[in-house]
Amino acid sequence: MTYSRRRIALTLILPALLGALTGSPARAEPHDPWVRAWGLNSVGQLGNGSTLDQQTPSAVRGLARDDVRELAGGGGGATSSFAVALLKNGTVQAWGSSSRGQLGDGTTASRSYPVAVAGLSGISEVSAGVFSAYAVRNGRVLAWGWNAYGQLGNGSTATSTDPPTTRPVLVQSLNKVKDISAGCSHAAALREDGTVWTWGRNDEGQLGDNTTTDRNTPKRVPGLQDVVAVAAGCTHTLALTADGTVKAWGRNANGQLGTGTSARSSVPVDVPHLENVDGIFAGPHHSFALIDDGTVRAWGWNNAGQLGDGTRTTRTTPVPLPALTGVKALAGGWNHTLAILDDQSVVAWGDNATGQLGNATTTASLTPVTALPAGSGTTRVAASRGDNSSYAY
């Protein structure tokens, strides 16, 4: 999940329409109006009607950028990836794998194009985990998909033989929620009063309650107040407070808590060496802080250069990214990262085995390369949590 406090000519439309009619992916032009996706597409998670990987941005079928308020990439591997889009009219669409009901359309059928999540309207926020997804409506959270660790928050926990929850259900005992962030198998909700509530898997202390016990209903994270943003990684969680302090808890084997050690913490701890933080962004095992001058600090797993500091060295404390300025938002995939800049260009770095950097190659890069040019009209980016798919809208 990512967060920041700063919150057509016929020749462009025809290729997308032809793609929709023929089932072939439509190549998105730099200034076209569509949501764009690229990278791994093994189960249709790019939403272009095919299952062909894309090394350059292609149009998501029938999904106009101006109609989308928020987009989240989910999944935990090549066969489970999916995406969820919140439209400005308050409805939600999803596409990709639905092996555990994560598309929320009442089935377990995968889709290579967007379909409506059943029964959702009036939605204000969405987020996606590995096999589950979340939506906020009138301050209440709805969830669907797999529930093996209680990550749906409805008071139950599914066994491996239980059928998945293919339609949204209500998360128990939680209201006045203004934002939701999904980890791999846990969730963190930010309430209007500045408190954070978590539920789901807790094997690494990612719920922040000083235990490693899974929980199938929400509980407040002790000691946290005046929080303005939450961002969940796979097994760690970040929070930004009103005074600009960044808190972190959960798994830390890759330094994703930024505390200078690799020791996990089951309670929130301060991330040092950060000032004037404007936003926080969590990849699966790496983390970012957006500074109010448009620069970025990064820490955590860096096996493929996903931190963007020009190395493959894992960082246990925040380091600056000198090649990046004018950053508006970021999104972390499994081992690549995207950023949208203030000129509406999209840059990416890290692994590129399936074209997830969007620069028409499969060559990895330790520093940012351009996926979409300046003036593209893009304002946000997203990445699949557990694999190599990228989105811009």
Side-chain angles (χ1 to χ4, degrees):
M1 179 68 177
T2 61
Y3 175 89
S4 175
R5 280 187 282 174
R6 298 178 294 177
R7 274 247 201 217
I8 326 180
L10 186 61
T11 55
L12 296 179
I13 298 175
L14 281 176
L17 292 178
L18 288 173
L21 291 172
T22 64
S24 61
R27 172 70 169 95
E29 298 300 325
H31 304 281
D32 75 24
W34 307 110
V35 172
R36 271 73 61 91
W38 61 96
L40 185 68
N41 196 28
S42 53
V43 287
Q45 61 263 50
L46 300 188
N48 60 21
S50 83
T51 54
L52 301 175
D53 296 347
Q54 300 289 308
Q55 296 177 12
T56 55
S58 65
V60 175
R61 181 183 290 186
L63 202 58
R65 181 177 62 237
D66 288 345
D67 292 336
V68 175
R69 174 173 173 172
E70 188 174 7
L71 193 152
T79 61
S80 65
S81 289
F82 68 107
V84 177
L86 168 60
L87 304 190
K88 290 180 180 177
N89 65 7
T91 63
V92 179
Q93 297 194 0
W95 60 95
S97 173
S98 196
S99 57
R100 304 295 174 89
Q102 59 264 46
L103 297 191
D105 67 342
T107 77
T108 55
S110 297
R111 314 284 184 174
S112 61
Y113 51 86
V115 294
V117 177
L120 289 189
S121 61
I123 302 301
S124 58
E125 303 288 340
V126 293
S127 192
V130 167
F131 292 113
S132 56
Y134 304 85
V136 178
R137 178 171 62 197
N138 297 325
R140 303 297 302 272
V141 181
L142 297 129
W144 60 95
W146 199 34
N147 198 28
Y149 304 101
Q151 61 262 51
L152 299 191
N154 66 339
S156 69
T157 302
T159 69
S160 60
T161 58
D162 289 334
T165 302
T166 61
R167 294 174 180 269
V169 296
L170 195 64
V171 173
Q172 287 188 6
S173 307
L174 190 61
N175 62 7
K176 297 184 178 180
V177 172
K178 67 176 185 179
D179 197 14
I180 182 74
S181 186
C184 278
S185 299
H186 78 289
L190 174 61
R191 293 186 75 231
E192 294 172 1
D193 62 3
T195 60
V196 176
W197 297 63
T198 57
W199 63 95
R201 194 171 190 181
N202 198 27
D203 58 323
E204 296 282 353
Q206 58 265 48
L207 299 189
D209 65 351
N210 202 26
T211 78
T212 53
T213 303
D214 298 345
R215 195 169 55 249
N216 58 23
T217 56
K219 182 180 179 181
R220 180 179 174 179
V221 178
L224 276 184
Q225 58 187 5
D226 297 326
V227 174
V228 296
V230 290
C234 188
T235 49
H236 76 292
T237 312
L238 306 175
L240 176 63
T241 63
D243 65 3
T245 301
V246 178
K247 306 277 190 176
W249 60 95
R251 179 177 169 87
N252 197 29
N254 305 107
Q256 54 264 57
L257 301 190
T259 57
T261 76
S262 58
R264 76 184 182 194
S265 178
S266 59
V267 296
V269 293
D270 288 346
V271 181
H273 313 305
L274 291 174
E275 294 181 349
N276 304 315
V277 176
D278 192 61
I280 50 173
F281 304 85
H285 303 292
H286 59 305
S287 306
F288 297 93
L290 176 61
I291 309 305
D292 62 7
D293 63 0
T295 61
V296 177
R297 304 294 184 269
W299 61 98
W301 194 34
N302 199 27
N303 68 312
Q306 59 264 47
L307 293 189
D309 67 345
T311 76
R312 288 188 174 89
T313 303
T314 290
R315 306 292 186 175
T316 61
T317 56
V319 296
L321 305 185
L324 276 181
T325 58
V327 177
K328 303 293 286 185
L330 299 102
W334 182 250
N335 50 20
H336 78 292
T337 305
L338 308 170
I340 174 72
L341 306 186
D342 53 14
D343 63 2
Q344 297 183 341
S345 63
V346 175
V347 295
W349 57 92
D351 186 41
N352 197 27
T354 57
Q356 61 264 43
L357 301 190
N359 66 340
T361 78
T362 55
T363 303
S365 179
L366 302 182
T367 55
V369 297
T370 299
L372 285 166
S376 68
T378 303
T379 59
R380 299 284 294 275
V381 287
S384 284
R385 180 162 299 281
D387 71 21
N388 303 321
S389 306
S390 304
Y391 306 89
Y393 59 107

